[in-house]
């Protein structure tokens, strides 16, 4: 039999076994660490079950760049991507382009309430919660033991311990060693880091629940001053261009005492090829000054079906499969992606593979949301002004207090034309 005939026969066989309506769904996934691989395994399992195929479209690592790509595709009404992985802060920005999943989302109330809030825009369910994120402090237990230090509870303690360990490790010959790495590039990730500094120091959440701009305050300025003090001392200058993966690279190579990152970094730090396997702990991020609190920014991702999809039914089925119980459990074990389905927090297999998921339940329950709900379509503008301002302060091009006064003025301008009804 010729090659073409054999291929045709194989294709016919496949169609017979799966029904004549097999389709190809394209799914956008993020690719941080092993996220792409974990996403593909889930999509392949669905494909096998249904006889459809899934093409994975990998997207830029930076949330800000990914949003720009999505906005371009969706504004053009392009049907290239059927299922979009979207950030918790995007439903208000992109929601109009997504199919209403209210009819299919019967189990929505079993998910973390904050994620359910995010999924609903204007009475519609525009996306299904997939995994939850919260900013966490990763630390090297072996080095805390070596230098006889505790897990820091305040930013002042973190600064001091980072300095002590950095000095010690450098003296011992590792000139590449740093105290603390995090995400300082001018992008959405910096908004999440800086919100933690500010909120943990009682400086609010940039814009409050009723839409009032609150960022121009002394506690916020003080928090930014502390962070700017890390750059070039316990944190490499290069952090000003770090996203999640650059900071993980330094930490996982064994070159940092502390790292701020999301849950996904756990599975990688603990993988067999990791130099720091078995040496890492995870804790809530430190508190600010006297009456500060532990604050981790709420992050996470949802899956949405494009209104421009030509195969919306199959795409919806894929979304329900990927966000369902079985797949969320597999992802928690394989990739330490925090489930959004509450009952999975009691699951013994998950507790075993990623103990922090159960231990830090409170951190996730009390995670600090960004003001994306109240600013709606304007959220990206607000966040961009915020991260650019913070980036100026970190790179010593602006003083915190003056920078925040300017930011307040710029946000007021956006508010006048925007979220103020
Ligand atoms: C993670 C979070 C997301 C956040 C982004 C910032 O992907 O899930 O909510 O916006 O990081 O870099």
């Amino acid at each position: 039999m010729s090659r073409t005939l054999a291929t045709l026969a194989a294709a016919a066989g496949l169609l017979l076994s799966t029904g004549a309506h097999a389709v190809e769904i394209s799914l956008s996934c993020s690719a941080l660490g092993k996220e792409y691989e974990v996403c593909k395994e889930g999509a392949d399992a669905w494909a096998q079950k249904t006889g459809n195929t899934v093409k994975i479209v990998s997207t830029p690592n930076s949330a800000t760049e990914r949003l720009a790509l999505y906005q371009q595709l969706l504004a053009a009404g392009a049907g290239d991507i059927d299922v979009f992985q979207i950030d918790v802060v995007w439903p208000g920005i992109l929601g109009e382009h997504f199919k209403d999943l209210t009819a299919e989302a019967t189990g929505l109330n079993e998910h973390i309430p904050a994620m359910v809030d995010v999924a609903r825009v204007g009475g519609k369910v525009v996306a299904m919660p997939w995994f939850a994120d919260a900013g966490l402090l990763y630390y090297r237990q072996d080095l805390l033991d070596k230098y006889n230090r505790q897990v820091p509870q305040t930013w002042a303690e973190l600064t001091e311990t980072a300095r002590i360990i950095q000095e010690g490790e450098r003296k011992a010959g590792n000139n590449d060693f740093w105290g603390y790495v995090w995400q300082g590039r001018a992008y959405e990730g910096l908004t999440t880091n800086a919100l933690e500094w500010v909120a943990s120091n009682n400086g609010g959440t940039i814009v409050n629940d009723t839409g009032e701009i609150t960022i121009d305050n002394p506690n916020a300025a003080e928090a930014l001053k502390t962070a700017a003090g890390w750059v070039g001392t316990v944190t490499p200058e290069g952090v000003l261009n770090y996203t999640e993966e650059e900071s993980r690279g330094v930490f996982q190579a064994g070159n940092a005492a502390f790292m701020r990152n999301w849950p996904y970094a756990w599975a990688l730090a603990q993988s067999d090829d990791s130099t720091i396997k078995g040496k890492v702990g995870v804790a809530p991020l430190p508190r600010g000054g006297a009456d500060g609190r532990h604050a981790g920014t709420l992050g996470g991702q949802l899956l949405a079906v494009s209104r421009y999809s030509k195969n919306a039914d199959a795409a919806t089925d894929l979304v329900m499969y990927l966000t369902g119980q079985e797949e969320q459990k597999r992802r928690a074990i394989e990739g330490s992606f925090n489930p959004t389905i509450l009952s999975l927090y009691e699951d013994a297999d998950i507790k075993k593979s990623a103990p922090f998921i159960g231990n830090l339940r409170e951190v996730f329950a009390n995670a600090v949301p960004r003001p994306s709900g109240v600013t709606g379509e304007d959220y990206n503008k607000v966040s961009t002004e915020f991260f650019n301002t913070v980036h100026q302060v970190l790179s010593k091009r602006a003083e915190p207090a003056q920078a925040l006064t300017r930011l307040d003025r710029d946000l007021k301008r956006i508010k006048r034309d925007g979220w103020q009804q």
Side-chain angles (χ1 to χ4, degrees), residues 63 87-89 131 133 187-189 192 244 262 298-301 370:
D87 196 308
V88 286
V89 285
F131 61 93
D133 270 335
Y187 81 121
E188 185 62 26
T192 63
E244 286 80 0
W262 307 108
L298 174 72
Q301 306 283 321
R370 283 160 274 176

Side-chain angles (χ1 to χ4, degrees), residues 30 32 35 61-64 66 85-90 115 131-134 183 187-193 243-244 260-264 297-302 370 379 383:
S30 139
L32 257 63
E35 202 173 14
N61 270 355
S62 151
T64 300
R66 194 181 310 152
Q85 169 179 338
I86 63 162
D87 196 308
V88 286
V89 285
W90 299 345
M115 297 295 291
F131 61 93
D133 270 335
Q183 296 80 47
Y187 81 121
E188 185 62 26
L190 178 54
T191 291
T192 63
N193 281 245
T243 66
E244 286 80 0
R260 183 269 177 213
N261 216 324
W262 307 108
Y264 86 98
T297 297
L298 174 72
Q301 306 283 321
L302 302 91
R370 283 160 274 176
Y379 173 71
S383 178

